[in-house]
Short mmCIF file of all heavy atoms in Angstrom, two decimals:
data_model
loop_
_atom_site.label_atom_id
_atom_site.label_comp_id
_atom_site.label_asym_id
_atom_site.label_seq_id
_atom_site.Cartn_x
_atom_site.Cartn_y
_atom_site.Cartn_z
N ARG E 76 108.39 106.60 120.24
CA ARG E 76 108.95 107.93 119.97
C ARG E 76 108.38 108.55 118.70
O ARG E 76 108.42 109.76 118.53
CB ARG E 76 110.48 107.88 119.93
CG ARG E 76 111.05 107.03 118.86
CD ARG E 76 112.56 106.91 119.05
NE ARG E 76 113.09 105.81 118.29
CZ ARG E 76 113.39 105.85 117.02
NH1 ARG E 76 113.25 106.98 116.36
NH2 ARG E 76 113.83 104.80 116.39
N GLU E 77 107.82 107.72 117.83
CA GLU E 77 107.18 108.29 116.65
C GLU E 77 105.77 108.76 116.95
O GLU E 77 105.20 109.56 116.22
CB GLU E 77 107.12 107.25 115.54
CG GLU E 77 108.49 106.92 114.99
CD GLU E 77 108.48 105.60 114.26
OE1 GLU E 77 108.66 104.55 114.91
OE2 GLU E 77 108.27 105.63 113.04
N ALA E 78 105.21 108.22 118.03
CA ALA E 78 103.82 108.56 118.36
C ALA E 78 103.75 109.67 119.40
O ALA E 78 102.84 110.49 119.38
CB ALA E 78 103.11 107.32 118.90
N LEU E 79 104.72 109.70 120.31
CA LEU E 79 104.59 110.58 121.47
C LEU E 79 105.60 111.74 121.47
O LEU E 79 105.22 112.90 121.40
CB LEU E 79 104.76 109.71 122.73
CG LEU E 79 104.53 110.38 124.07
CD1 LEU E 79 103.19 111.07 124.10
CD2 LEU E 79 104.62 109.35 125.18
N TYR E 80 106.86 111.42 121.54
CA TYR E 80 107.88 112.48 121.54
C TYR E 80 109.23 111.84 121.31
O TYR E 80 109.39 110.63 121.48
CB TYR E 80 107.91 113.22 122.89
CG TYR E 80 108.48 112.38 124.00
CD1 TYR E 80 109.84 112.44 124.33
CD2 TYR E 80 107.67 111.48 124.70
CE1 TYR E 80 110.37 111.63 125.32
CE2 TYR E 80 108.20 110.68 125.68
CZ TYR E 80 109.54 110.75 126.00
OH TYR E 80 110.07 109.94 126.96
N GLU E 81 110.19 112.63 120.94
CA GLU E 81 111.57 112.16 121.03
C GLU E 81 112.46 113.32 121.40
O GLU E 81 112.07 114.48 121.29
CB GLU E 81 112.03 111.46 119.76
CG GLU E 81 112.02 112.27 118.51
CD GLU E 81 112.35 111.36 117.31
OE1 GLU E 81 113.34 110.61 117.37
OE2 GLU E 81 111.60 111.43 116.33
N TRP E 82 113.63 113.00 121.88
CA TRP E 82 114.55 114.05 122.25
C TRP E 82 115.37 114.45 121.03
O TRP E 82 115.72 113.61 120.20
CB TRP E 82 115.49 113.58 123.37
CG TRP E 82 114.76 113.42 124.67
CD1 TRP E 82 114.40 112.25 125.27
CD2 TRP E 82 114.25 114.47 125.51
NE1 TRP E 82 113.71 112.49 126.42
CE2 TRP E 82 113.61 113.86 126.61
CE3 TRP E 82 114.27 115.86 125.46
CZ2 TRP E 82 112.99 114.58 127.63
CZ3 TRP E 82 113.67 116.58 126.48
CH2 TRP E 82 113.04 115.95 127.54
N ASN E 83 115.66 115.71 120.95
CA ASN E 83 116.47 116.23 119.86
C ASN E 83 117.96 116.03 120.24
O ASN E 83 118.57 116.90 120.84
CB ASN E 83 116.13 117.70 119.65
CG ASN E 83 116.86 118.28 118.45
OD1 ASN E 83 117.85 117.71 117.98
ND2 ASN E 83 116.40 119.42 117.98
N TYR E 84 118.46 114.85 119.90
CA TYR E 84 119.81 114.48 120.36
C TYR E 84 120.86 115.46 119.90
O TYR E 84 121.77 115.82 120.64
CB TYR E 84 120.18 113.07 119.86
CG TYR E 84 119.35 112.00 120.50
CD1 TYR E 84 118.58 111.14 119.73
CD2 TYR E 84 119.35 111.83 121.88
CE1 TYR E 84 117.81 110.15 120.32
CE2 TYR E 84 118.57 110.85 122.47
CZ TYR E 84 117.81 110.02 121.68
OH TYR E 84 117.04 109.06 122.27
N ALA E 85 120.76 115.89 118.66
CA ALA E 85 121.79 116.77 118.11
C ALA E 85 121.86 118.06 118.93
O ALA E 85 122.94 118.51 119.32
CB ALA E 85 121.49 117.09 116.65
N ALA E 86 120.70 118.64 119.23
CA ALA E 86 120.68 119.89 120.00
C ALA E 86 121.15 119.65 121.43
O ALA E 86 121.84 120.48 122.03
CB ALA E 86 119.27 120.48 119.99
N GLN E 87 120.78 118.49 121.97
CA GLN E 87 121.24 118.16 123.33
C GLN E 87 122.76 118.06 123.38
O GLN E 87 123.40 118.55 124.31
CB GLN E 87 120.62 116.83 123.78
CG GLN E 87 119.17 116.92 124.16
CD GLN E 87 118.58 115.57 124.51
OE1 GLN E 87 118.88 114.56 123.85
NE2 GLN E 87 117.75 115.53 125.55
N LEU E 88 123.29 117.45 122.34
CA LEU E 88 124.75 117.27 122.28
C LEU E 88 125.45 118.63 122.20
O LEU E 88 126.45 118.88 122.88
CB LEU E 88 125.08 116.43 121.06
CG LEU E 88 126.37 115.61 121.14
CD1 LEU E 88 126.26 114.58 122.26
CD2 LEU E 88 126.62 114.91 119.80
N LEU E 89 124.89 119.50 121.39
CA LEU E 89 125.47 120.84 121.26
C LEU E 89 125.44 121.57 122.60
O LEU E 89 126.39 122.25 122.98
CB LEU E 89 124.71 121.65 120.21
CG LEU E 89 125.00 121.28 118.76
CD1 LEU E 89 124.08 122.07 117.83
CD2 LEU E 89 126.47 121.54 118.43
N HIS E 90 124.36 121.41 123.31
CA HIS E 90 124.22 122.03 124.62
C HIS E 90 125.34 121.54 125.55
O HIS E 90 126.01 122.33 126.23
CB HIS E 90 122.85 121.69 125.21
CG HIS E 90 122.61 122.31 126.57
ND1 HIS E 90 121.90 123.47 126.74
CD2 HIS E 90 123.01 121.93 127.82
CE1 HIS E 90 121.86 123.78 128.02
NE2 HIS E 90 122.52 122.86 128.70
N LEU E 91 125.56 120.24 125.53
CA LEU E 91 126.59 119.66 126.40
C LEU E 91 127.99 120.14 126.00
O LEU E 91 128.82 120.45 126.84
CB LEU E 91 126.53 118.13 126.36
CG LEU E 91 125.32 117.52 127.09
CD1 LEU E 91 125.30 116.01 126.89
CD2 LEU E 91 125.35 117.85 128.57
N ARG E 92 128.22 120.20 124.69
CA ARG E 92 129.52 120.67 124.19
C ARG E 92 129.78 122.10 124.65
O ARG E 92 130.87 122.45 125.08
CB ARG E 92 129.54 120.65 122.66
CG ARG E 92 129.58 119.28 122.09
CD ARG E 92 130.92 119.06 121.35
NE ARG E 92 131.01 117.69 120.91
CZ ARG E 92 130.51 117.25 119.75
NH1 ARG E 92 129.93 118.09 118.93
NH2 ARG E 92 130.63 115.99 119.43
N ALA E 93 128.72 122.92 124.52
CA ALA E 93 128.85 124.33 124.91
C ALA E 93 129.17 124.43 126.40
O ALA E 93 130.03 125.21 126.82
CB ALA E 93 127.58 125.10 124.58
N ALA E 94 128.48 123.61 127.18
CA ALA E 94 128.71 123.63 128.63
C ALA E 94 130.16 123.25 128.92
O ALA E 94 130.84 123.85 129.76
CB ALA E 94 127.76 122.67 129.33
N GLU E 95 130.64 122.27 128.17
CA GLU E 95 132.02 121.80 128.33
C GLU E 95 133.01 122.92 127.98
O GLU E 95 133.93 123.22 128.72
CB GLU E 95 132.24 120.63 127.38
CG GLU E 95 132.97 119.47 128.00
CD GLU E 95 132.93 118.27 127.05
OE1 GLU E 95 132.51 118.44 125.88
OE2 GLU E 95 133.31 117.21 127.48
N ALA E 96 132.72 123.57 126.84
CA ALA E 96 133.61 124.62 126.35
C ALA E 96 133.66 125.80 127.31
O ALA E 96 134.68 126.47 127.45
CB ALA E 96 133.15 125.10 124.97
N GLN E 97 132.55 126.02 127.98
CA GLN E 97 132.50 127.13 128.93
C GLN E 97 133.20 126.76 130.24
O GLN E 97 133.14 127.51 131.23
CB GLN E 97 131.06 127.54 129.24
CG GLN E 97 130.38 128.30 128.11
CD GLN E 97 128.86 128.29 128.26
OE1 GLN E 97 128.35 127.95 129.32
NE2 GLN E 97 128.17 128.64 127.19
N GLY E 98 133.78 125.59 130.26
CA GLY E 98 134.52 125.19 131.45
C GLY E 98 133.62 124.80 132.60
O GLY E 98 134.00 124.88 133.76
N ARG E 99 132.41 124.39 132.25
CA ARG E 99 131.51 123.98 133.33
C ARG E 99 131.63 122.48 133.59
O ARG E 99 130.72 121.86 134.12
CB ARG E 99 130.07 124.33 132.95
CG ARG E 99 129.81 125.82 132.92
CD ARG E 99 128.34 126.11 133.14
NE ARG E 99 127.57 126.10 131.90
CZ ARG E 99 126.36 125.56 131.79
NH1 ARG E 99 125.80 124.97 132.82
NH2 ARG E 99 125.72 125.62 130.66
N ALA E 100 132.80 121.94 133.17
CA ALA E 100 132.97 120.49 133.25
C ALA E 100 132.74 119.98 134.67
O ALA E 100 132.23 118.87 134.85
CB ALA E 100 134.37 120.11 132.78
N ALA E 101 133.06 120.78 135.65
CA ALA E 101 132.90 120.33 137.03
C ALA E 101 131.44 120.05 137.35
O ALA E 101 131.13 119.19 138.16
CB ALA E 101 133.45 121.41 137.98
N ASP E 102 130.59 120.79 136.64
CA ASP E 102 129.17 120.62 136.95
C ASP E 102 128.42 119.98 135.78
O ASP E 102 127.36 120.43 135.39
CB ASP E 102 128.56 122.00 137.29
CG ASP E 102 127.23 121.82 138.03
OD1 ASP E 102 126.90 120.67 138.42
OD2 ASP E 102 126.51 122.82 138.17
#
Side-chain angles (χ1 to χ4, degrees):
R76 63 188 163 83
E77 291 161 273
L79 186 53
Y80 71 93
E81 61 186 311
W82 290 106
N83 185 343
Y84 292 122
Q87 285 176 319
L88 207 63
L89 285 175
H90 181 98
L91 288 176
R92 289 246 175 87
E95 224 171 11
Q97 286 162 14
R99 291 205 272 140
D102 198 10

